[in-house]
Structures are given as C-alpha cells and as structure tokens.
Amino acid sequence: MEDHVIVEMYWRRNPEAIRETAKAYGPYCKTIARNILHDARDAEECVNDTWLGTWNAIPENRPTLLAPFLGKITRNLAFNRYKSARAEKRGGGEFPLVLEELSECASANDTVQTLEAAELGQAVSRFLYTLPERDCNVFLRRYWFGEPLAKIAGRYGMRENSVKTCLYRSREKLRQYLEKEEVL
C-alpha cells in the first residue's frame, strides 16, 4: 500500500492504518530500534509505541514520506528507552560509541547536546548531500541506524578498517562543514 493511502487512513482515524503500517514498515522500524537497544523485546515494545506515536502525531502532521517520519519516531522512542534503561546501570553496546564518535565533530566549547537541534539537523542534512553516495550510506548506517562497523563492512564489501577510515574522514568533513556554516 502506498504511503499517501496509509497517511489518509490515519487522517480519517481508520485503525487499519496501524496494521498496514506494521506490514509495510515493521521490519524497518524494528531494525532501527534493535540497533539502538540490542534487545528484541525492548525493540518490539518500542515499535508498538511507534504505531501509537504515529496515530497521535498524524492528525497534526501529514508526512509526504512515511519511512523517515516513522524512523524518527522509532529512534526517539528507542533513545528514550535506552537512556532510561542505562540511568541506573552503565552498559556497553554501539550507541555510546556512536555518540562518542560524533562528539568529535563539536568544538571544545560546544557539545552535541547543547547545539540548537533543528539548526544542527538541517546542517547535517545539507552536509550529507556533499558526500559521495557510498560515504553517505556508510555515515547513515552508522549514525542513523546505529549499525556495528562489521555489519556495515559486510554490507558494502569493505574491511572494517576501511569503514573506520571512511567514517573518520566523513566526521572530519562534517566538523569543517559545521564550522564553515557557523553552526559550531
């Protein structure tokens, strides 16, 4: 079923919209949640919360592209669940590494958390268009989907060290781009 039809079903408050969304985007959202949470049950709960969040958000918003809209809701819910689960205990996983890697793009006086989120998001989106396609895909796989380096390497037929180098160079380009755009 096409996105605009599903969105229209949400708009008309048709409960079938949730079933159609789960059928079309369930695996996509589960991948995002699982890469952040590393727990199948938590990821499943997060995805179910995504459907509720979508149900509540669509009457106010009418997204033209459903996948990024759902991905953003899933990521935010997964990050919140991750932070909540780690509040009492500190754990490993890819997410702390991903944040540490991205923090290199911020200057010493600023942190990723204190930057204006909307401005930073727009600048990063513009930056991604400056990268070659493979570098952009590797960057997104790591920093949007939270995929481990080994999985990215396998997906693109690269060595893990090549992925690290690609990401390092992209982060350096991002830092320079953000400085040039005066975001940092």
Side-chain angles (χ1 to χ4, degrees), residues 61-142:
N61 302 297
R62 196 180 273 252
T64 54
L65 298 173
L66 198 52
F69 184 81
L70 296 169
K72 184 175 182 181
I73 292 172
T74 304
R75 286 185 81 234
N76 289 340
L77 290 168
F79 286 154
N80 290 341
R81 185 176 290 267
Y82 179 89
K83 285 187 260 182
S84 172
R86 301 310 186 273
E88 294 177 16
K89 61 178 182 175
R90 300 289 175 212
E94 288 300 308
F95 187 56
L97 296 173
V98 167
L99 290 180
E100 184 179 324
E101 290 169 13
L102 278 177
S103 71
E104 296 171 8
C105 297
S107 69
N109 296 330
D110 294 316
T111 63
V112 173
Q113 293 83 11
T114 60
L115 293 172
E116 183 67 42
E119 184 181 356
L120 180 62
Q122 291 170 354
V124 170
S125 291
R126 289 189 306 270
F127 163 74
L128 291 173
Y129 284 106
T130 69
L131 293 177
E133 184 177 356
R134 188 195 72 174
D135 294 356
C136 180
N137 289 336
V138 167
F139 189 92
L140 288 172
R141 286 281 160 202
R142 181 67 173 163

Side-chain angles (χ1 to χ4, degrees), residues 7 11 14 60 81 86 88 114 135-136 167-168 179:
V7 170
W11 194 260
N14 181 345
E60 295 176 21
R81 185 176 290 267
R86 301 310 186 273
E88 294 177 16
T114 60
D135 294 356
C136 180
L167 289 169
Y168 173 79
E179 286 174 356

Side-chain angles (χ1 to χ4, degrees), residues 9-22:
M9 291 170 71
Y10 276 108
W11 194 260
R12 295 179 189 268
R13 309 309 282 166
N14 181 345
E16 186 67 25
I18 294 172
R19 251 186 305 282
E20 291 297 327
T21 305

